[in-house]
């Protein structure tokens, strides 16, 4: 009877050892999977941070270009306004000359235009 119980205990011990090895293998596989997933996550996070940095730098460059373009447009608008005013002043000279029909009127118109031109520069 004692030998039978010892044999039964030994079989149970072998079964439990086998089960323990199977659980240990599953645990090791789960840990390896977790470590791989964590590594992928960390790589993705690093890549996302790098991309965000690149996008911030690109955004900053675009803002600089936009500022330059706005300043250039403002300068071009000012030049266009000055040109329009110059054209109006010239038109007044021509109209004055045509209306007066004299060299004196044309001379006065020219002098007035030259004064206005200096004023706009």
């Amino acid at each position: 009877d004692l030998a039978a119980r010892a044999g039964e205990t030994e079989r149970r011990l072998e079964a439990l050892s086998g089960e323990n090895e199977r659980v240990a293998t599953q645990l090791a596989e789960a840990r390896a999977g977790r470590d791989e997933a964590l590594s992928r996550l960390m790589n993705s996070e690093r890549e996302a941070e790098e991309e965000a940095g690149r996008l911030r730098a690109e955004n900053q460059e675009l803002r600089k270009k936009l500022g330059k373009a706005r300043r250039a447009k403002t300068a071009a608008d000012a030049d266009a306004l000055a040109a329009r005013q110059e054209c109006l002043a010239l038109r007044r000279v021509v109209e004055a000359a045509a209306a007066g029909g004299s060299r004196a009127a044309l001379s006065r118109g020219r002098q007035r235009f030259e004064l206005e031109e200096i004023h706009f520069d």
Side-chain angles (χ1 to χ4, degrees):
D1 188 45
L2 194 55
R5 283 179 62 193
E8 179 64 27
T9 302
E10 181 132 351
R11 281 190 296 279
R12 286 179 57 205
L13 181 61
E14 286 177 22
L16 286 174
S17 291
E19 180 67 16
N20 189 27
E21 285 179 29
R22 187 179 65 76
V23 169
T25 301
Q26 288 177 342
L27 181 60
E29 289 172 353
R31 284 181 179 157
R34 179 203 62 199
D35 291 346
E36 184 180 333
L38 182 60
S39 177
R40 284 194 310 265
L41 177 64
M42 291 173 65
N43 286 338
S44 294
E45 190 174 277
R46 181 183 42 77
E47 289 170 2
E49 287 174 3
E50 289 171 356
E51 181 66 14
R54 281 191 295 271
L55 290 173
R56 278 191 295 275
E58 184 179 339
N59 187 33
Q60 186 175 7
E61 283 300 313
L62 289 173
R63 285 180 182 271
K64 285 180 187 177
K65 288 180 181 180
L66 179 60
K68 286 180 183 177
R70 283 181 176 160
R71 287 188 295 278
K73 181 185 180 308
T74 300
D77 288 347
D79 289 346
L81 177 62
R84 277 193 297 273
Q85 290 172 340
E86 190 174 319
C87 284
L88 289 173
L90 270 172
R91 181 181 293 157
R92 286 193 298 270
V93 169
V94 170
E95 288 171 354
S102 70
R103 284 183 173 258
L106 183 56
S107 179
R108 283 191 307 274
R110 245 190 233 147
Q111 287 172 354
R112 191 172 73 202
F113 171 72
E114 288 170 2
L115 288 174
E116 291 179 14
E117 185 178 30
I118 291 168
H119 172 73
F120 292 120
D121 288 340

